Amino acid sequence: ELLQHPFLALPPPKSTGREAFGDVFVGPLVARYRGRERDLLASLTRFVAESVAAGMRRWVREPVAEVLVSGGGARNRTLMAALAATLDPVPVRSLAEAGLDPDAKEAVAFAVLANETLFGRPGNVPGATGAAGPRILGKPCLGRRAGHSDSANSMISKLRWWNTLPPPYTPATSTITPIARPPQSARC
C-alpha cells in the first residue's frame, strides 16, 4: 500500500521531504501501529528500500555497477541490509567505503561543480535540468574581505595544493581534474 504513493510514480529528477512524507503521511501509520512501533519502523525501512529498488528498475536504463548510499541512511544497518537485498546482485556500499563522508554529499557536489566551472566545462545534465544544452554553471568571483588582500587570482593559485597530493589523487589516476589556473574567461 505504501508503494502506491503518488510521488513514487513521478519521473526523475525529483526530490521530496516532509511535504510528502511528513506528518500527513506518518500520522495515520503511527495510529494504526500503536503499540507496535518496532513493526512500523521495520515497515518504513523496508518501504524506503523497496521504493529505491522500484525507482531504479523503472527509471535507470543503464546497468548499475554499484549503489553508494549517503546521508543518515548509510549508518542505518537495517536499511543497508534491506537495500542490499532489494538491489541484489548490485553491490550496495556506504559512501564512506569510497573514501567520502556520507554526510558531505552536497559539499562534494559543489566542489565538483566549482572545479568544472573553473575549467570552463559544463556542469549540468540537460536531460535532468531541462536546459537547452550543456552550460557552464556560475562564475568564480572571489572578492576582498575586510583586512584581506587576496584577489581571485591569488586564491586560485593557492588551490594548486591538489597537484602535490600523492597517488591516487593525480591527473593520471583520477577522474577529477586537478585544480590549477582556470581559463581566462572564468576570471572575474
Side-chain angles (χ1 to χ4, degrees), residues 114-115 117-120 140 152-153 156-157 159-160 179-187:
N115 188 66
T117 298
L118 283 172
F119 282 90
N153 290 338
I156 289 168
S157 69
L159 296 175
R160 289 188 176 157
I179 295 175
R181 186 170 298 282
Q184 187 68 31
S185 63
R187 297 195 192 142

Side-chain angles (χ1 to χ4, degrees), residues 2-11 14 21 58:
L2 296 178
L3 291 171
Q4 303 308 310
H5 193 283
F7 175 79
L8 302 178
L10 296 174
K14 59 186 177 181
F21 295 102
R58 181 171 184 187

Side-chain angles (χ1 to χ4, degrees), residues 25-66:
F25 178 77
V26 176
L29 294 171
V30 169
R32 187 183 332 160
Y33 280 84
R34 191 163 318 283
R36 299 180 300 133
E37 288 78 11
R38 287 179 182 229
D39 290 344
L40 174 59
L41 289 174
S43 295
L44 290 173
T45 302
R46 189 64 185 202
F47 165 66
V48 170
E50 293 286 345
S51 65
V52 167
M56 288 181 63
R57 284 191 298 273
R58 181 171 184 187
W59 302 109
V60 178
R61 301 289 178 232
E62 301 294 322
V64 176
E66 69 179 331

Side-chain angles (χ1 to χ4, degrees), residues 13 38 47 54 67 73 76 81 95 118 128 138 158 178:
R38 287 179 182 229
F47 165 66
V67 171
N76 184 323
L95 196 58
L118 283 172
K158 289 177 185 177

